[in-house]
Amino acid sequence: MSKEQILKQYFGYIAFREGQEALIDHIVDGDDVLGIMPTGAGKSICFQVPAMLYDGITIVVSPLISLMKDQVQSLIANGIPAAYINSSLSANQTQKAIENARNGKYKIIYVAPERLDVDEFVSFARSANIAMVTVDEAHCVSQWGQDFRPSYLKITEFIDKLPKRPVISAFTATATREVKDDIIKILRLKQPFIAATGFDRENLYFEVQKPKDKYQAVIRFLQNNPDKGGIIYCATRKTVEQVCGDLQNDHYNATRYHAGLSESERTTNQDDFLYDRKTIMVATNAFGMGIDKSNVNFVIHYNMPKNIESYYQEAGRAGRDGTNADCILLYGGQDVITNQFLIDHTSEQNELDSETLELVKEKERERLKQMTYYCHTMDCLRSYILRYFGDRSGNYCGNCSNCKQNFETVDILDYSKKIVSCIYRMRERYGVQMLIDTLRGSRGEKIQNLHLDQLSTYGIMKEVPQSRIREMINYLVINEYIVLTNTEFPVVKLGTKYKTLLDSDQPILMKVVRESERAQKEMKSGNSKSSKYVGEIDQHLFAELKGLRFQIAEENRVPAFVVFSDATLLDMCRKKPVNKDDMLAVSGVGEVKFQRYGERFLKIISQNSAVTANVGQPISADSAPSIGEICEYVKRSFVPSVEAVPVSILTDMLNSLLLQKGDYKLSAIKLTNFFMKKGLLQPENVEGKGNRVATELGKEHGIATVERTNSAGNAYRQNLYHQQAQQYAADHIEELIGGI
């Protein structure tokens, strides 16, 4: 088979993306390669296609269990024999996997780096035909990378033990020039072909907020985006617990993930998110590396990460299927202090000697500074990120909060001189807040006790709002006129350029926000591109296809995105295939998946077309239908699913009709609360916490609370809505949308 045939038959794509084909060609020719490609750009295809062309086995070194599990599930679903070997397997399971590998049952084997010096695995590898070793998340090999893992240094030792050197391919989504050079050197790549496709993800919207109340900022976003699912990253376990608990108390379908939970609970919670049983994952950065869930609509950083690399990698878990997604960072001054503490007290690098460890920490402090600058820049956020990674970029992307804001340029030379003079007179001994309080003439007890009210610079900026002074201080830090010390409590000191500033009469130009009604409206609504597909596709069909996908995923005990991604379902809605050839023309549908699922999806599409023809065309948007007309249309058009569906799918089914008539939109939470109000659901315990379960009345109306078991063997409960319950919701649509 050719590479094009493999791409279509197993993966369902008719063309390679940028960089993929060149990397594949060099691998097939026996060359080492290094691929630097953003998350969602299709790195896996670059080594999975050659693995199918090689006679031997490809070993993929991967850092996290979750990454291996997702990748192997997807490969098997595509008809490619694959397996993983890591600590999640029992001794018997590991032995069986190695035995199958010896017998040639796998083309691709994912392994944790810690396995590379286990005698049993080394013995197998020495006797097998290892055609290629692929190093995924290759930046982990560099001590200058944001995720350095000493276990990655075992890779070259393992390769040296093999009787024949295989082709070595390495891939990463984030690598500065320094890290790239480290990867080539440490992995001993031989004259590698390097493909850097650029780091831009045009479908991602970037925004930095500085809210007084971060939790309320999250709630506002969720209220404005009621049917989206995503990840909320927090810096500490304590914050994860607090945010997740608050969301659950506010009836959001959230779960949590951090290293302090038991392995079984982490597995259960991760599966709940992957399988769409929970729509919001609140987690530390322990969650997510390599998570292949395609329908992550947003990533919110509740706290600022330690560096741009981590931020971009974590934010990049949104919109992996190419649909538009939101990346929101909630900044607070305490975030800097927390990250400095984590850097100073990290134990992850305990295999390093003290001198090297200090060098690593110093590098991390510098990266933290660059991350902080990102949160304060008034320039294009996307351009800032791309420039950090060495990509050339313009200064306007049109899809970030800074580009959507309305700015004006002001000269802050006089104010800058006052700030620098005040720092000098304060003898460079205090932090930002004390500096601001002094400049604004605060009468606080601390100011008076320290006699700062006697300085000549006391109160010289009392007419300037505190927020604007803070913006100017941040601008002066970014431009090295002043600096903040890398200590637990940062102190403001004079920078290398402060004398130039004092002696200059040249203007210092800074962009500041000019608030406008239009800008405010855009900011409140979130990503203006997020509704790209609304109106372009048949929303009712999309909901039906998602329902079928959920059913198939449940039958096969795999995440829904392993069956088909959202992008594939959207392409089905646009192309509306009627036969096998049409279906194979849908992006993401290969021969294997068509044989497994194709006819069932064709049937749904056919049934939907018949229903649409009978119902007739929706009323023109120009006629501005009333609420009563919208509700009548929903009741007349609603067709219950033959299969019982979860609340998320029922919500999609109703929204698909509402969106054809107007801007009304339900959320799963609102629908659940409606069933509770009607006495069809109730909390499973007297404290009112935990899952909602069907009451006797709810059972009579077609709601079933069923026991499920996840892949870890843990039980959980889920409500499924049969035809009667679905119709009940449609019949009460006036009441449901009345409070919107």
Side-chain angles (χ1 to χ4, degrees):
M1 294 180 71
S2 68
K3 62 179 184 287
E4 291 84 4
Q5 290 172 320
I6 289 174
L7 182 70
K8 181 55 191 169
Q9 177 167 330
Y10 291 102
F11 300 98
Y13 302 118
I14 60 174
F16 291 102
R17 297 186 194 178
E18 180 186 0
Q20 288 180 332
E21 190 168 15
L23 284 162
I24 290 169
D25 287 342
H26 278 275
I27 290 173
V28 172
D29 288 343
D31 299 331
D32 290 350
V33 303
L34 171 59
I36 305 172
M37 308 166 73
T39 302
K43 294 187 292 294
S44 299
I45 292 286
C46 298
F47 59 83
Q48 290 170 352
V49 169
M52 294 297 291
L53 291 169
Y54 279 141
D55 290 332
I57 297 170
T58 291
I59 291 177
V60 182
V61 182
S62 180
L64 288 181
I65 291 172
S66 57
L67 168 65
M68 302 180 202
K69 183 178 176 182
D70 286 350
Q71 292 280 355
V72 169
Q73 280 183 327
S74 295
L75 286 169
I76 293 173
N78 287 332
I80 297 174
Y84 59 80
I85 298 175
N86 56 43
S87 59
S88 71
L89 302 181
S90 66
N92 289 338
Q93 289 173 322
T94 300
Q95 189 173 2
K96 181 66 175 176
I98 291 178
E99 181 182 338
N100 288 340
R102 288 185 191 277
N103 295 330
K105 292 188 176 181
Y106 306 129
K107 291 294 294 180
I108 302 175
I109 302 174
Y110 282 75
V111 299
E114 292 78 12
R115 290 276 156 179
L116 298 181
D117 60 357
V118 174
D119 291 342
E120 184 180 17
F121 185 79
V122 173
S123 175
F124 147 71
R126 285 177 57 84
S127 63
N129 177 17
I130 306 300
M132 177 167 60
V133 171
T134 295
V135 183
D136 205 5
E137 309 292 347
H139 59 272
C140 294
V141 79
S142 171
Q143 69 178 24
W144 308 120
Q146 79 278 9
D147 283 314
F148 173 56
R149 294 170 184 258
S151 58
Y152 260 56
L153 300 177
K154 299 175 182 178
I155 295 173
T156 52
E157 297 175 15
F158 168 75
I159 292 172
D160 288 342
K161 294 175 184 176
L162 300 177
K164 182 182 69 172
R165 184 186 186 276
V167 170
I168 302 174
S169 57
F171 297 89
T172 181
T174 54
T176 59
R177 179 175 297 179
E178 188 176 32
V179 171
K180 181 190 75 174
D181 293 342
D182 238 5
I183 291 170
I184 295 171
K185 178 181 177 181
I186 294 172
L187 292 179
R188 302 205 297 262
L189 302 181
K190 293 184 176 179
Q191 297 180 324
F193 170 73
I194 301 173
T197 61
F199 293 90
D200 193 11
R201 296 274 308 282
E202 292 183 356
N203 62 312
L204 299 184
Y205 166 80
F206 293 97
E207 179 173 339
V208 174
Q209 297 180 15
K210 300 173 183 176
K212 293 181 179 179
D213 188 326
K214 291 187 177 185
Y215 182 72
Q216 287 305 313
V218 170
I219 293 299
R220 282 195 298 273
F221 178 85
L222 296 177
Q223 289 173 340
N224 289 331
N225 301 275
D227 296 302
K228 290 186 176 182
I231 305 170
I232 300 175
Y233 278 111
C234 303
T236 65
R237 301 176 189 178
K238 180 180 178 181
T239 309
V240 167
E241 294 288 343
Q242 182 67 51
V243 173
C244 185
D246 288 346
L247 287 173
Q248 290 172 342
N249 289 337
D250 287 334
H251 306 305
Y252 284 94
N253 196 18
T255 188
R256 59 185 181 162
Y257 190 104
H258 59 71
L261 303 177
S262 66
E263 183 175 342
S264 63
E265 184 175 356
R266 288 199 304 271
T267 301
T268 298
N269 295 350
Q270 177 171 290
D271 283 353
D272 282 346
F273 181 65
L274 293 178
Y275 287 71
D276 295 333
R277 295 187 288 263
K278 301 288 186 181
T279 56
I280 301 172
M281 171 62 79
V282 187
T284 61
N285 61 6
F287 175 82
M289 182 181 284
I291 291 294
D292 203 26
K293 183 176 170 67
S294 63
N295 57 335
V296 175
N297 306 123
F298 66 82
V299 171
I300 296 175
H301 279 82
Y302 203 81
N303 306 105
M304 181 188 73
K306 290 191 294 185
N307 49 64
I308 293 288
E309 291 93 336
S310 296
Y311 176 67
Y312 200 49
Q313 185 178 63
E314 291 160 11
R317 285 160 196 155
R320 288 176 65 99
D321 60 0
T323 57
N324 291 304
D326 297 302
C327 304
I328 314 295
L329 195 161
L330 307 179
Y331 173 82
Q334 183 62 36
D335 295 339
V336 179
I337 297 172
T338 299
N339 280 315
Q340 286 174 333
F341 178 84
L342 293 174
I343 290 171
D344 292 338
H345 296 83
T346 183
S347 58
E348 293 177 359
Q349 323 286 2
N350 55 13
E351 296 184 34
L352 302 176
D353 61 76
S354 58
E355 184 177 351
T356 304
L357 181 58
E358 186 52 41
L359 287 174
V360 170
K361 288 184 177 181
E362 186 58 37
K363 186 69 176 179
E364 288 180 345
R365 294 185 190 104
E366 178 59 32
R367 286 203 292 261
L368 174 59
K369 185 185 298 183
Q370 297 299 322
M371 184 72 245
T372 306
Y373 292 169
Y374 170 83
C375 295
H376 295 306
T377 184
M378 296 296 180
D379 294 329
C380 173
L381 296 176
R382 186 185 311 277
S383 297
Y384 185 99
I385 293 172
L386 296 180
R387 286 196 300 270
Y388 178 85
F389 290 114
D391 261 13
R392 292 183 179 181
S393 174
N395 291 319
Y396 179 84
C397 74
N399 196 28
C400 76
S401 57
N402 281 1
C403 287
K404 287 179 177 291
Q405 290 270 28
N406 193 359
F407 288 104
E408 61 180 333
T409 302
V410 297
D411 180 6
I412 62 167
L413 176 63
D414 289 340
Y415 286 137
S416 299
K417 289 183 176 182
K418 291 176 180 179
I419 292 170
V420 168
S421 297
C422 192
I423 295 170
Y424 178 81
R425 284 166 175 76
M426 294 173 76
R427 300 184 181 181
E428 304 176 87
R429 293 171 57 185
Y430 303 102
V432 171
Q433 190 59 55
M434 289 291 286
L435 173 60
I436 294 173
D437 288 345
T438 303
L439 288 165
R440 298 192 74 241
S442 168
R443 297 184 180 277
E445 183 178 348
K446 198 169 184 180
I447 292 286
Q448 295 182 43
N449 289 342
L450 294 170
H451 305 298
L452 297 178
D453 56 338
Q454 298 177 18
L455 299 179
S456 60
T457 50
Y458 175 75
I460 59 173
M461 293 177 66
K462 59 184 177 182
E463 78 286 357
V464 184
Q466 180 174 173
S467 59
R468 183 54 55 88
I469 296 178
R470 190 175 292 274
E471 288 177 2
M472 287 187 273
I473 290 172
N474 291 328
Y475 182 86
L476 294 175
V477 170
I478 291 172
N479 289 278
E480 300 179 352
Y481 294 108
I482 60 179
V483 297
L484 295 175
T485 60
N486 288 324
T487 54
E488 184 174 355
F489 300 102
V491 173
V492 187
K493 292 185 175 293
L494 299 173
T496 55
K497 297 165 57 177
Y498 87 95
K499 288 185 178 179
T500 305
L501 183 151
L502 291 174
D503 296 336
S504 173
D505 57 2
Q506 295 298 314
I508 294 181
L509 302 179
M510 184 181 84
K511 289 167 62 178
V512 298
V513 176
R514 179 194 290 131
E515 293 294 346
S516 69
E517 291 183 11
R518 180 166 180 260
Q520 290 174 0
K521 182 177 179 181
E522 287 180 341
M523 291 298 292
K524 288 179 181 178
S525 63
N527 182 0
S528 61
K529 295 185 179 181
S530 63
S531 59
K532 174 182 177 182
Y533 294 105
V534 174
E536 293 183 9
I537 64 165
D538 185 334
Q539 290 290 326
H540 187 273
L541 175 58
F542 185 48
E544 285 282 295
L545 295 179
K546 287 176 70 176
L548 175 59
R549 179 180 66 177
F550 180 85
Q551 180 187 341
I552 294 172
E554 289 284 288
E555 292 169 1
N556 292 274
R557 300 182 70 181
V558 297
F561 63 83
V562 169
V563 180
F564 287 125
S565 70
D566 278 6
T568 296
L569 298 188
L570 289 166
D571 204 30
M572 287 185 196
C573 291
R574 284 189 289 270
K575 293 176 179 174
K576 294 188 177 179
V578 297
N579 54 39
K580 178 180 178 179
D581 289 342
D582 289 348
M583 183 63 89
L584 288 175
V586 172
S587 178
V589 181
E591 185 69 38
V592 175
K593 284 194 175 181
F594 178 83
Q595 294 300 328
R596 290 179 177 173
Y597 321 126
E599 293 294 344
R600 296 172 70 177
F601 281 89
L602 284 174
K603 183 179 179 181
I604 291 289
I605 295 168
S606 175
Q607 290 174 342
N608 183 81
S609 298
V611 169
T612 302
N614 291 331
V615 169
Q617 294 299 316
I619 298 173
S620 168
D622 294 335
S623 63
S626 66
I627 291 181
E629 290 173 327
I630 292 172
C631 292
E632 283 304 313
Y633 176 76
V634 171
K635 292 177 184 179
R636 185 175 71 250
S637 307
F638 185 78
V639 180
S641 170
V642 176
E643 303 293 335
V645 299
V647 69
S648 59
I649 300 301
L650 178 53
T651 305
D652 286 339
M653 293 168 67
L654 293 168
N655 282 335
S656 67
L657 296 173
L658 289 170
L659 287 169
Q660 292 183 41
K661 290 296 185 180
D663 295 329
Y664 295 104
K665 196 173 184 184
L666 295 171
S667 67
I669 296 169
K670 188 174 183 65
L671 197 53
T672 299
N673 289 340
F674 165 76
F675 283 117
M676 289 186 66
K677 178 183 176 182
K678 293 295 184 181
L680 307 187
L681 293 177
Q682 65 182 11
E684 65 179 339
N685 57 44
V686 294
E687 289 83 12
K689 297 180 179 179
N691 296 328
R692 272 53 183 164
V693 296
T695 61
E696 289 303 318
L697 182 62
K699 294 174 185 177
E700 293 175 10
H701 281 77
I703 304 177
T705 302
V706 298
E707 294 283 345
R708 300 285 196 188
T709 304
N710 63 21
S711 59
N714 298 312
Y716 66 94
R717 287 184 169 188
Q718 183 177 37
N719 293 320
L720 294 178
Y721 298 81
H722 292 269
Q723 285 184 315
Q724 184 182 354
Q726 298 170 35
Q727 191 63 56
Y728 184 89
D731 290 343
H732 290 78
I733 192 67
E734 293 101 334
E735 191 172 346
L736 275 166
I737 70 173
I740 295 179

